[in-house]
């Protein structure tokens, strides 16, 4: 270890994106792998869209110039997309923040006014991973705070916190449905005051367990004091169609993260965004690197939003494929498969007496890999991305063969 490197970093291992294998092709290079370990959309951008994007690149992007450092156009487009998901009509330029409710004065009493999201509520990152790091810097760095996570959950919160020397406080989820054990969470937060918890991270729906937040969990998040930032990671929003963005205005200590890496098919472009109180987005702007998003990535994200109807049109297929996969895998006596609100499934092996479920998980992951299907062994179970219909048939066949041996 080089003597100038921080000692706590020596114990960390780098995040390996494909612990199962490399990209695209296996060691026997004639086999094309089914990459079902990172929850991407199985489809590339359609050819004609790629060509249009390439044209935009050739005609509009000056590669010798720095990108738009303020992401103005992209933030406008994102705000409009977020509002669409809240059923708020697009803002007229110069309009005030408050959009009058459509059914004003109806018989059902005073309708809840809906408040539109504007570009001031948006911050854009080089993947949501960058936003996670910026949030940690903004709230916890230098001994100012620790973070709370309910495991199993997305590993990057803990990994990134640790690289910054920020302590990670955790509690388990319930074993039957992976809801957060709220009493355990409260205890963990109360007992760790040195430094106090400054961020609670949740994923909605959770990765790797695919469950959306419950009413109880949302109530608990609502009850957290204003000096704790609540990060609600909605990376899988387009699959769950379930968002808490409409409650942001009541909770200045909440922030929602989303990404273009999943439903929007742009994992290669590294674009994520946050929706939050303008003071918080302004702070994120101070922390991020000046030109954090290449012009091509910004253009691709704007392009994907403009083409969203086309790109998101495959989501019903993913959802029906998910149901088929769950039905098929539930047939196996040896597997426990959970419901999913995302584009992936979570399952565990029911271990017999004297067997180790984790050893079985590891074996299944390896055997699937040998047959050409990459899945993820994580959080004490297996996470499998919903792929194309062909890939999903292969997943079922290969798993069935492994389980019968
Ligand atoms: C995939 C994923 C992301 C996306 O991260 P990017 O850096 O935007 O690619 C964020 N959060 C969770 C929980 C994810 O699963």
């Amino acid at each position: 270890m080089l003597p100038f490197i921080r000692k706590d970093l020596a114990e960390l291992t780098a995040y390996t994106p494909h612990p199962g294998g490399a990209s695209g092709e296996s060691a026997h290079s004639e086999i094309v792998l089914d990459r079902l370990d990172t929850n991407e959309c199985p489809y590339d951008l359609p050819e004609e869209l790629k060509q249009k994007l390439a044209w935009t690149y050739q005609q509009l992007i000056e590669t010798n110039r720095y990108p738009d450092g303020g992401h103005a156009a992209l933030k406008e487009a994102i705000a409009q997309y977020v509002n669409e998901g809240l059923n708020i009509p697009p803002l007229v330029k110069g309009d005030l923040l408050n959009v009058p409710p459509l059914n004003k004065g109806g018989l059902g009493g005073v309708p809840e006014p809906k408040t539109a999201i504007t570009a001031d509520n948006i911050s854009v990152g080089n993947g949501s991973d960058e936003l996670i790091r910026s949030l940690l810097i903004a709230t916890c760095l230098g001994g100012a705070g620790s973070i709370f996570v309910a495991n199993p959950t997305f590993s990057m919160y803990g990994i990134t916190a640790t690289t910054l020397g920020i302590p990670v406080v955790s509690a388990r989820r319930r074993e039957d449905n992976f809801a957060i054990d709220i009493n355990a969470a409260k205890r963990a937060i109360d007992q760790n005051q040195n430094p106090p918890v400054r961020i609670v991270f949740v994923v909605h729906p959770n990765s790797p367990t695919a469950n959306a937040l419950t009413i109880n969990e949302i109530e608990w998040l609502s009850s957290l004091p204003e000096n704790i930032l609540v990060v609600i990671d909605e990376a899988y929003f387009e699959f769950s169609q379930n968002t808490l963005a409409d409650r942001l205005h009541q909770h200045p200590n909440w922030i929602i993260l989303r990404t273009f890496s999943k439903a929007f098919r742009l994992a290669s472009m590294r674009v994520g965004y946050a929706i939050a109180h303008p003071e918080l987005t302004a702070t994120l702007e101070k922390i991020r690197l000046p030109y954090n998003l290449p012009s091509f990535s910004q253009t691709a994200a704007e392009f994907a939003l403009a083409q969203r109807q086309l790109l998101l049109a495959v989501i019903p297929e993913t959802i029906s494929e998910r149901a088929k996969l769950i039905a098929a895998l539930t047939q196996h006596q040896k597997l426990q498969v959970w419901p999913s609100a995302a584009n992936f499934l979570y399952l565990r092996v029911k271990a017999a007496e004297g067997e180790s479920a984790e050893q079985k998980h590891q074996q299944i992951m390896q055997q699937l890999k040998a047959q050409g299907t990459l899945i993820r062994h994580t959080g004490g179970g297996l996470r499998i991305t919903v792929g194309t219909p062909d890939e999903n048939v292969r997943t079922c066949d290969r798993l069935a063969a492994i389980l019968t041996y």
Side-chain angles (χ1 to χ4, degrees), residues 189-244:
I189 292 172
D190 286 346
Q191 284 166 5
N192 285 280
Q193 290 299 329
N194 220 351
V197 169
R198 281 281 168 261
I199 307 188
V200 167
F201 280 100
V202 292
V203 196
H204 182 46
N206 189 43
S207 175
T209 55
N211 52 311
L213 287 169
T214 63
I215 291 172
N216 281 343
E217 289 171 315
I218 295 169
E219 257 174 37
W220 170 61
L221 296 175
S222 305
S223 75
L224 286 169
E226 293 212 336
N227 60 6
I228 293 182
L229 173 66
V230 176
V231 179
I232 300 156
D233 188 335
E234 293 186 353
Y236 301 98
F237 160 68
E238 284 80 8
F239 304 100
S240 72
Q241 283 302 316
N242 194 337
T243 180
L244 292 176

Side-chain angles (χ1 to χ4, degrees), residues 109-368:
V110 186
E112 184 114 323
K114 283 194 168 171
T115 314
I117 296 295
T118 70
D120 287 345
N121 297 109
I122 306 293
S123 185
V124 189
N126 196 285
S128 14
D129 289 339
E130 185 195 7
L131 295 162
I132 292 166
R133 178 147 69 180
S134 295
L135 289 169
L136 291 165
I137 293 171
T139 57
C140 296
L141 202 65
S146 57
I147 68 161
F148 173 83
V149 291
N151 287 320
T153 195
F154 187 48
S155 59
M156 285 316 292
Y157 312 131
I159 293 171
T160 311
T162 309
T163 64
L164 295 170
I166 293 167
V168 180
V169 173
S170 64
R172 299 294 302 172
R173 289 166 182 270
R174 285 174 46 159
E175 288 286 312
D176 55 346
N177 62 4
F178 301 113
I180 298 170
D181 181 340
I182 291 173
N183 286 327
K186 284 181 176 164
R187 250 180 282 127
I189 292 172
D190 286 346
Q191 284 166 5
N192 285 280
Q193 290 299 329
N194 220 351
V197 169
R198 281 281 168 261
I199 307 188
V200 167
F201 280 100
V202 292
V203 196
H204 182 46
N206 189 43
S207 175
T209 55
N211 52 311
L213 287 169
T214 63
I215 291 172
N216 281 343
E217 289 171 315
I218 295 169
E219 257 174 37
W220 170 61
L221 296 175
S222 305
S223 75
L224 286 169
E226 293 212 336
N227 60 6
I228 293 182
L229 173 66
V230 176
V231 179
I232 300 156
D233 188 335
E234 293 186 353
Y236 301 98
F237 160 68
E238 284 80 8
F239 304 100
S240 72
Q241 283 302 316
N242 194 337
T243 180
L244 292 176
D246 55 341
R247 307 194 190 203
L248 281 174
H249 291 277
Q250 294 149 252
H251 299 287
N253 63 323
W254 284 17
I255 185 168
I256 287 176
L257 299 183
R258 297 216 192 133
T259 181
F260 284 88
S261 299
K262 305 286 158 64
F264 277 105
R265 317 188 194 183
L266 292 183
S268 69
M269 295 289 159
R270 312 301 303 125
V271 188
Y273 61 96
I275 320 163
H277 191 281
E279 254 178 64
L280 182 50
T281 54
T283 306
L284 289 173
E285 294 299 294
K286 293 182 199 172
I287 289 167
R288 68 173 174 78
L289 297 177
Y291 298 106
N292 62 332
L293 257 198
S295 302
F296 192 52
S297 296
Q298 293 187 47
T299 305
E302 285 169 43
F303 192 77
L305 282 173
Q307 300 288 339
R308 58 184 171 270
Q309 284 199 321
L310 187 76
L311 295 181
L312 302 181
V314 298
I315 286 180
E317 177 193 279
T318 304
I319 289 171
S320 75
E321 284 293 306
R322 175 178 82 195
K324 280 195 234 165
L325 262 176
I326 291 179
L329 299 183
T330 305
Q331 302 287 312
H332 295 287
Q333 300 289 314
K334 289 179 191 163
L335 295 182
Q336 184 172 12
V337 187
W338 276 269
S340 167
N343 65 336
F344 56 88
L345 313 185
Y346 189 67
L347 51 98
R348 284 180 178 170
V349 170
K350 297 178 203 162
E353 280 284 311
E355 264 183 354
S356 149
E358 279 295 76
Q359 221 166 0
K360 289 268 168 207
H361 294 148
Q362 188 63 21
Q363 273 171 11
I364 291 172
M365 196 264 285
Q366 293 294 354
Q367 286 170 319
L368 277 176

